[in-house]
Amino acid sequence: MSFPRFGERGPLSTIEVEALRSLNAAVLTARFEWQSAGALWDRLQGGNEVAELHEENTTFTFLTQAIQEIASGATVFERHTALTAWRYAAAAVVLGVTVLQRVVDAKPPLSPTAVGELCQEPTLGQLHQALSVPVADLLPQRDLNVPNDRESTARQWAQLRDDVDYAIDLVVEIAADEEEAHPRTKAEAAGCLLTEHSPPHHDPVYHGILEPLLRLAEQIPFDINRIIGKG
C-alpha cells in the first residue's frame, strides 16, 4: 500500500507528514521481513519433518541437525522482526489517531516535540486508548456505496482494542509465572511496553494481534486523507 499525498496547503504540518510517512515506510518494511521470516521458519519445519523420516534408521543424522540449527536462528529472527514490526506499527497507530483527531477538531498542528514523543513505542495502555477512539464515526461516508462501511470499520477497531486488552492480561500472567514483582496488576501492565514484556520462552504476547495492527497502521494515513478531502 502506498502513502497518500498530502497537499502543502493542507492542515498537516511538515513534521506531521514526515513522521507519518517515515513510520509508514518502517511498518511496510518490517511487515514484509516478518512475513518472510515466518515463511522461512515454516519451510524449515517442513524440511525437518522430512529429514527425520529420511534419517530415522540411519547412523548419521547430520541433515536433521543442520536444519534444526538453522531453524533455531530463524526462530530468533522471526521474533526479532515481529517485535520490530510491533514497535513501529503501534507508534504509527497512536500518532495517526492523534493527528486524525486533531484534524477533526481543527486544532493547531502538533509540536515537533510532541510528534517525536508519539513516534516512540507506546505503552499497551496508550495503544488501547488510541484504539478506543471512535474513528469509524469520525470518517466521512465513502463516495462509493460500500455496504456496512462504518460498521465494518468499527468492528475492526473494537476487535483490535479487545485483543490489546487481552495482551495486557497476558503481561500480568507472565509476570506472575516468572515470579516478578512488576507488573502485578492490570493497571501496571497497561504502563508496560510489549517489546519488553514478551519473553522468548513464552508464547508471543503479540500472537494474533500483530497482523491486524499492521493493517490498521497502514490504513490510518488514508483515513486522515479522507477527512481532509471532505473538508
Side-chain angles (χ1 to χ4, degrees), residues 166-185:
Y166 178 64
I168 295 173
D169 289 331
L170 284 180
V171 169
V172 177
E173 291 180 14
I174 290 173
D177 289 342
E178 299 290 312
E179 298 183 351
E180 296 177 352
H182 177 85
R184 282 296 182 173
T185 67

Side-chain angles (χ1 to χ4, degrees), residues 23 90-92 94-95 98-99 110 113-122:
L23 282 174
V94 172
L95 173 64
T98 304
V99 172
L110 301 173
T113 300
V115 171
E117 291 174 352
L118 289 169
C119 287
Q120 305 306 308
E121 179 187 356

Side-chain angles (χ1 to χ4, degrees), residues 215-229:
R215 289 197 298 267
L216 196 61
E218 293 175 32
Q219 180 58 45
I220 289 177
F222 293 89
D223 292 337
I224 296 171
N225 206 32
R226 278 176 61 190
I227 291 173
I228 293 174

Side-chain angles (χ1 to χ4, degrees), residues 57-228:
N57 297 315
T58 62
T59 302
F60 301 105
T61 58
F62 296 130
L63 174 58
T64 302
Q65 292 176 37
I67 292 176
Q68 289 176 348
E69 290 174 15
I70 297 169
S72 177
T75 299
V76 174
F77 182 65
E78 190 276 338
R79 180 178 179 276
H80 177 70
T81 55
L83 292 175
T84 300
W86 174 277
R87 184 168 68 251
Y88 289 112
V93 168
V94 172
L95 173 64
V97 170
T98 304
V99 172
L100 187 150
Q101 277 192 299
R102 181 194 73 69
V103 172
V104 170
D105 296 338
K107 291 183 178 179
L110 301 173
S111 69
T113 300
V115 171
E117 291 174 352
L118 289 169
C119 287
Q120 305 306 308
E121 179 187 356
T123 65
L124 286 164
Q126 290 171 325
L127 179 58
H128 186 274
Q129 184 178 7
L131 293 169
S132 300
V133 173
V135 170
D137 296 335
L138 302 177
L139 294 175
Q141 187 65 39
R142 295 182 188 272
D143 294 333
L144 299 176
N145 186 21
V146 180
N148 303 317
D149 181 30
R150 280 204 173 97
E151 292 83 351
S152 176
T153 299
R155 283 196 302 270
Q156 178 188 17
W157 282 72
Q159 180 61 61
L160 190 52
R161 182 190 65 234
D162 292 345
D163 289 341
V164 171
D165 187 73
Y166 178 64
I168 295 173
D169 289 331
L170 284 180
V171 169
V172 177
E173 291 180 14
I174 290 173
D177 289 342
E178 299 290 312
E179 298 183 351
E180 296 177 352
H182 177 85
R184 282 296 182 173
T185 67
K186 190 165 185 174
E188 289 178 348
C192 294
L193 302 179
L194 181 142
T195 56
E196 296 178 357
H197 292 269
S198 185
H201 49 280
H202 280 269
D203 290 339
V205 175
Y206 52 80
H207 182 70
I209 311 176
L210 181 53
E211 182 62 38
L213 181 67
L214 287 164
R215 289 197 298 267
L216 196 61
E218 293 175 32
Q219 180 58 45
I220 289 177
F222 293 89
D223 292 337
I224 296 171
N225 206 32
R226 278 176 61 190
I227 291 173
I228 293 174

